[in-house]
mmCIF file of all heavy atoms in Angstrom:
data_model
loop_
_atom_site.group_PDB
_atom_site.id
_atom_site.type_symbol
_atom_site.label_atom_id
_atom_site.label_comp_id
_atom_site.label_asym_id
_atom_site.label_seq_id
_atom_site.Cartn_x
_atom_site.Cartn_y
_atom_site.Cartn_z
ATOM 1 N N ALA A 1321 0.595 90.871 -26.229
ATOM 2 C CA ALA A 1321 1.311 89.771 -25.589
ATOM 3 C C ALA A 1321 1.982 88.851 -26.626
ATOM 4 O O ALA A 1321 3.159 88.498 -26.466
ATOM 5 C CB ALA A 1321 0.383 88.978 -24.678
ATOM 6 N N PRO A 1322 1.275 88.450 -27.699
ATOM 7 C CA PRO A 1322 1.950 87.644 -28.724
ATOM 8 C C PRO A 1322 3.127 88.382 -29.368
ATOM 9 O O PRO A 1322 4.151 87.770 -29.676
ATOM 10 C CB PRO A 1322 0.836 87.366 -29.745
ATOM 11 C CG PRO A 1322 -0.423 87.431 -28.950
ATOM 12 C CD PRO A 1322 -0.183 88.542 -27.961
ATOM 13 N N GLY A 1323 2.971 89.681 -29.566
ATOM 14 C CA GLY A 1323 4.062 90.472 -30.132
ATOM 15 C C GLY A 1323 5.273 90.491 -29.220
ATOM 16 O O GLY A 1323 6.415 90.385 -29.673
ATOM 17 N N ARG A 1324 5.026 90.621 -27.907
ATOM 18 C CA ARG A 1324 6.142 90.626 -26.954
ATOM 19 C C ARG A 1324 6.812 89.258 -26.886
ATOM 20 O O ARG A 1324 8.034 89.172 -26.771
ATOM 21 C CB ARG A 1324 5.653 91.058 -25.572
ATOM 22 C CG ARG A 1324 5.386 92.565 -25.467
ATOM 23 C CD ARG A 1324 5.087 92.998 -24.061
ATOM 24 N NE ARG A 1324 3.779 92.537 -23.605
ATOM 25 C CZ ARG A 1324 2.642 93.192 -23.813
ATOM 26 N NH1 ARG A 1324 2.652 94.327 -24.493
ATOM 27 N NH2 ARG A 1324 1.496 92.727 -23.355
ATOM 28 N N LEU A 1325 6.021 88.182 -26.965
ATOM 29 C CA LEU A 1325 6.612 86.843 -26.960
ATOM 30 C C LEU A 1325 7.454 86.624 -28.217
ATOM 31 O O LEU A 1325 8.565 86.084 -28.143
ATOM 32 C CB LEU A 1325 5.522 85.774 -26.867
ATOM 33 C CG LEU A 1325 6.012 84.316 -26.904
ATOM 34 C CD1 LEU A 1325 7.011 84.047 -25.788
ATOM 35 C CD2 LEU A 1325 4.832 83.352 -26.818
ATOM 36 N N LYS A 1326 6.939 87.046 -29.356
ATOM 37 C CA LYS A 1326 7.698 86.922 -30.600
ATOM 38 C C LYS A 1326 8.999 87.724 -30.517
ATOM 39 O O LYS A 1326 10.074 87.237 -30.911
ATOM 40 C CB LYS A 1326 6.858 87.417 -31.784
ATOM 41 C CG LYS A 1326 7.592 87.332 -33.118
ATOM 42 C CD LYS A 1326 6.705 87.817 -34.268
ATOM 43 C CE LYS A 1326 7.450 87.733 -35.600
ATOM 44 N NZ LYS A 1326 6.600 88.213 -36.722
ATOM 45 N N ALA A 1327 8.911 88.948 -29.979
ATOM 46 C CA ALA A 1327 10.105 89.773 -29.835
ATOM 47 C C ALA A 1327 11.095 89.141 -28.866
ATOM 48 O O ALA A 1327 12.313 89.180 -29.090
ATOM 49 C CB ALA A 1327 9.719 91.171 -29.352
ATOM 50 N N TYR A 1328 10.578 88.554 -27.798
ATOM 51 C CA TYR A 1328 11.440 87.882 -26.808
ATOM 52 C C TYR A 1328 12.230 86.758 -27.460
ATOM 53 O O TYR A 1328 13.455 86.660 -27.295
ATOM 54 C CB TYR A 1328 10.566 87.343 -25.678
ATOM 55 C CG TYR A 1328 11.296 86.478 -24.682
ATOM 56 C CD1 TYR A 1328 11.891 87.048 -23.555
ATOM 57 C CD2 TYR A 1328 11.401 85.100 -24.848
ATOM 58 C CE1 TYR A 1328 12.572 86.267 -22.633
ATOM 59 C CE2 TYR A 1328 12.073 84.313 -23.940
ATOM 60 C CZ TYR A 1328 12.652 84.897 -22.829
ATOM 61 O OH TYR A 1328 13.333 84.108 -21.925
ATOM 62 N N LEU A 1329 11.539 85.906 -28.190
ATOM 63 C CA LEU A 1329 12.200 84.773 -28.840
ATOM 64 C C LEU A 1329 13.174 85.236 -29.924
ATOM 65 O O LEU A 1329 14.325 84.778 -29.983
ATOM 66 C CB LEU A 1329 11.156 83.845 -29.448
ATOM 67 C CG LEU A 1329 10.381 82.975 -28.463
ATOM 68 C CD1 LEU A 1329 9.132 82.403 -29.129
ATOM 69 C CD2 LEU A 1329 11.266 81.856 -27.939
ATOM 70 N N THR A 1330 12.723 86.129 -30.776
ATOM 71 C CA THR A 1330 13.564 86.597 -31.876
ATOM 72 C C THR A 1330 14.816 87.287 -31.351
ATOM 73 O O THR A 1330 15.935 87.024 -31.818
ATOM 74 C CB THR A 1330 12.771 87.556 -32.777
ATOM 75 O OG1 THR A 1330 11.606 86.891 -33.269
ATOM 76 C CG2 THR A 1330 13.621 88.017 -33.953
ATOM 77 N N ALA A 1331 14.643 88.172 -30.367
ATOM 78 C CA ALA A 1331 15.784 88.915 -29.830
ATOM 79 C C ALA A 1331 16.769 87.993 -29.120
ATOM 80 O O ALA A 1331 17.993 88.148 -29.260
ATOM 81 C CB ALA A 1331 15.302 90.011 -28.885
ATOM 82 N N ASN A 1332 16.267 87.044 -28.342
ATOM 83 C CA ASN A 1332 17.144 86.082 -27.682
ATOM 84 C C ASN A 1332 18.009 85.349 -28.691
ATOM 85 O O ASN A 1332 19.230 85.243 -28.541
ATOM 86 C CB ASN A 1332 16.312 85.067 -26.897
ATOM 87 C CG ASN A 1332 16.186 85.377 -25.428
ATOM 88 O OD1 ASN A 1332 17.086 85.110 -24.640
ATOM 89 N ND2 ASN A 1332 15.051 85.963 -25.066
ATOM 90 N N LEU A 1333 17.372 84.825 -29.720
ATOM 91 C CA LEU A 1333 18.082 83.999 -30.693
ATOM 92 C C LEU A 1333 19.002 84.832 -31.594
ATOM 93 O O LEU A 1333 20.089 84.387 -31.959
ATOM 94 C CB LEU A 1333 17.080 83.202 -31.521
ATOM 95 C CG LEU A 1333 16.278 82.180 -30.697
ATOM 96 C CD1 LEU A 1333 15.126 81.605 -31.517
ATOM 97 C CD2 LEU A 1333 17.182 81.061 -30.178
ATOM 98 N N GLU A 1334 18.599 86.045 -31.915
ATOM 99 C CA GLU A 1334 19.472 86.922 -32.693
ATOM 100 C C GLU A 1334 20.692 87.334 -31.877
ATOM 101 O O GLU A 1334 21.799 87.475 -32.423
ATOM 102 C CB GLU A 1334 18.707 88.151 -33.174
ATOM 103 C CG GLU A 1334 17.720 87.845 -34.296
ATOM 104 C CD GLU A 1334 17.001 89.075 -34.791
ATOM 105 O OE1 GLU A 1334 17.089 90.133 -34.126
ATOM 106 O OE2 GLU A 1334 16.340 88.979 -35.846
ATOM 107 N N PHE A 1335 20.504 87.514 -30.567
ATOM 108 C CA PHE A 1335 21.647 87.851 -29.713
ATOM 109 C C PHE A 1335 22.651 86.703 -29.704
ATOM 110 O O PHE A 1335 23.864 86.924 -29.778
ATOM 111 C CB PHE A 1335 21.181 88.159 -28.288
ATOM 112 C CG PHE A 1335 22.279 88.688 -27.404
ATOM 113 C CD1 PHE A 1335 22.610 90.031 -27.417
ATOM 114 C CD2 PHE A 1335 22.978 87.839 -26.558
ATOM 115 C CE1 PHE A 1335 23.639 90.526 -26.618
ATOM 116 C CE2 PHE A 1335 24.006 88.316 -25.754
ATOM 117 C CZ PHE A 1335 24.337 89.666 -25.776
#
Side-chain angles (χ1 to χ4, degrees):
R1324 285 188 289 274
L1325 178 57
K1326 179 179 180 180
Y1328 173 90
L1329 285 164
T1330 302
N1332 262 280
L1333 295 170
E1334 287 182 348
F1335 188 84

